[in-house]
Amino acid sequence: MELNSLLLLLLTALVCLTSSQDSCGNRPLVGPPGSSRIVGGRDAPEGAWPWQVSLQLLSIHTCGGTIINNLSVLTATHCFLKFWGRKRLFRVVAGLRELSTPGGHAQIRFISEIRSHKGYNHVTTENDLTLLLLSSPFNFTDHVQPACLPHDVRHEFILNFSHCFISGWGTSYYKGEHMNTLQEAEVELIDRRKCNLLSWYGGRITENMICAGLESGARDSCQGDSGGPLQCYSEDEERFYLIGVTSFGDKCGVPRRPGVYARTSRFADWLKTNQTASVSAANRLNTRLISALLSVVLMLF
Ligand SMILES: *[C@@H]1O[C@H](CO)[C@@H](O)[C@H](O)[C@H]1NC(C)=O
Ligand SMILES: *[C@@H]1O[C@H](CO)[C@@H](O)[C@H](O)[C@H]1NC(C)=O
Ligand SMILES: *[C@@H]1O[C@H](CO)[C@@H](O)[C@H](O)[C@H]1NC(C)=O
Ligand SMILES: *[C@@H]1O[C@H](CO)[C@@H](O)[C@H](O)[C@H]1NC(C)=O
């Protein structure tokens, strides 16, 4: 074979591999968010949040989570407080809209490793982040997709989000029952200084947290939404980013007590390091392919 065509092949292979990793934050079945705002919560359309998963303990919904690649799901550490080391009791369900009727698009996976942030503090709720490594990868479909993650705080700022949403099967009011159909609501990101005012959270919100909701409390996450996504749409890139992981709130929907989320941009390094094992396992084949191609090219010289 000619050197030129080999180089072309190598280049094509590299381009394919990089672009496949770039695909995130798209929802094939639902268009971009419109300009009309959603009041309160409502049933999410089919395929609206393809990265949203239900984390289930003995088949009962306990928390939300977000797919960030085909072998990893991001969720909250406090979801596991009573179940340390009990990964076999849990399962992760993607492609789900109605909890009671999973349907043909649902994909069920088990957990091979629970990686909780070592700095988690149950008093302050600081670092409420856990990465779940799955025992087998999700198949990406119209109903199952990964969300994008900001590279760092600067990137989060540049993205200049226009619309942010929360989603989950959590209760619609404090101490209520879980919802059967996935709910969604549009929320506003609330400035940290405002959220830390004495009449709000009074200094409890750190740089690693982000407040979102409405001042009136009319739109909020609630029990059972924990670990699920706060997702924002980038008009420039036309895709969704996971900006926060649902962490805590003072009851639900209380004025000046919006939902508080672990701010993913502040954990970019932690996420990169801790995802490595899973991604490297998935990419082992790719790496082998690249080195094989490279050695063929080198042999020709
Ligand atoms: C994933 O998709 C591939 C090809 O579309 C299919 O052969 C395979 O059975 C699927 N795996 C699962 C677990 O659904
Ligand atoms: C998982 O993702 C990796 C790349 O990130 C890819 O090489 C692999 O084929 C994917 N596996 C499945 C089953 O889709
Ligand atoms: C951010 O988006 C708004 C509209 O949503 C636009 O008016 C503004 O110019 C944008 N800012 C930057 C820096 O792109
Ligand atoms: C996760 O990342 C942190 C910091 O980047 C590192 O100290 C820790 O060892 C990592 N954990 C695992 C299990 O790789």
Side-chain angles (χ1 to χ4, degrees):
M1 212 191 300
E2 264 182 49
L3 187 60
N4 276 351
S5 48
L6 251 177
L7 281 173
L8 197 68
L9 184 69
L10 180 66
L11 218 67
T12 317
L14 280 172
V15 167
C16 283
L17 294 173
T18 23
S19 63
S20 76
Q21 282 158 16
D22 267 344
S23 175
C24 62
N26 299 306
R27 41 181 201 181
L29 297 180
V30 181
S35 52
S36 67
R37 298 200 164 246
I38 302 151
V39 181
R42 67 164 192 190
D43 288 359
E46 184 78 39
W49 311 110
W51 36 85
Q52 165 94 51
V53 300
S54 162
L55 180 62
Q56 306 186 339
L57 175 65
L58 301 171
S59 303
I60 297 166
H61 173 83
T62 48
C63 270
T66 306
I67 302 171
I68 57 173
N69 66 49
N70 62 17
L71 278 169
S72 323
V73 162
L74 195 57
T75 183
T77 298
H78 79 261
C79 293
F80 297 94
L81 278 190
K82 295 177 202 142
F83 307 99
W84 289 124
R86 312 294 290 279
K87 66 184 185 196
R88 279 187 192 83
L89 299 182
F90 287 94
R91 64 181 199 178
V92 176
V93 187
L96 194 60
R97 185 163 175 266
E98 296 192 5
L99 284 177
S100 61
T101 41
H105 302 296
Q107 296 183 29
I108 299 175
R109 297 292 183 272
F110 295 93
I111 297 171
S112 73
E113 202 180 325
I114 300 176
R115 287 191 179 170
S116 294
H117 196 294
K118 292 195 177 66
Y120 174 70
N121 181 322
H122 71 97
V123 178
T124 61
T125 331
E126 183 77 314
N127 305 313
D128 192 6
L129 218 58
T130 284
L131 198 58
L132 303 176
L133 306 188
L134 306 176
S135 54
S136 59
F138 281 123
N139 261 0
F140 291 150
T141 64
D142 283 355
H143 292 81
V144 180
Q145 289 284 321
C148 306
L149 282 168
H151 306 312
D152 50 34
V153 174
R154 213 181 115 258
H155 189 211
E156 177 199 62
F157 179 74
I158 293 169
L159 285 166
N160 190 24
F161 296 117
S162 54
H163 296 271
C164 293
F165 299 85
I166 50 177
S167 53
W169 289 274
T171 59
S172 57
Y173 55 94
Y174 186 59
K175 294 196 166 160
E177 300 227 316
H178 282 162
M179 302 296 286
N180 187 40
T181 304
L182 183 64
Q183 300 291 300
E184 64 173 26
E186 185 160 3
V187 291
E188 283 163 15
L189 302 183
I190 297 169
D191 187 69
R192 195 167 70 91
R193 261 166 305 175
K194 190 175 189 184
C195 206
N196 260 333
L197 290 175
L198 218 54
S199 55
W200 291 56
Y201 278 112
R204 201 177 158 191
I205 310 304
T206 69
E207 284 275 8
N208 299 328
M209 302 173 184
I210 198 163
C211 295
L214 293 185
E215 180 160 354
S216 67
R219 290 173 219 164
D220 199 4
S221 46
C222 203
Q223 294 162 312
D225 289 324
S226 286
L230 164 63
Q231 51 234 322
C232 297
Y233 186 70
S234 162
E235 303 267 357
D236 290 349
E237 298 189 6
E238 297 182 327
R239 53 190 188 170
F240 281 93
Y241 276 82
L242 177 68
I243 286 306
V245 173
T246 308
S247 179
F248 71 92
D250 188 353
K251 301 210 173 77
C252 318
V254 177
R256 296 180 301 282
R257 297 291 189 283
V260 184
Y261 301 79
R263 189 177 169 195
T264 53
S265 65
R266 295 275 299 181
F267 295 96
D269 288 341
W270 182 85
L271 281 166
K272 260 171 227 146
T273 322
N274 289 271
Q275 258 187 86
T276 314
S278 60
V279 172
S280 67
N283 279 347
R284 210 162 290 150
L285 204 72
N286 294 348
T287 318
R288 247 186 244 151
L289 182 67
I290 292 171
S291 28
L293 283 168
L294 268 175
S295 50
V296 170
V297 172
L298 285 177
M299 261 161 46
L300 287 171
F301 280 111

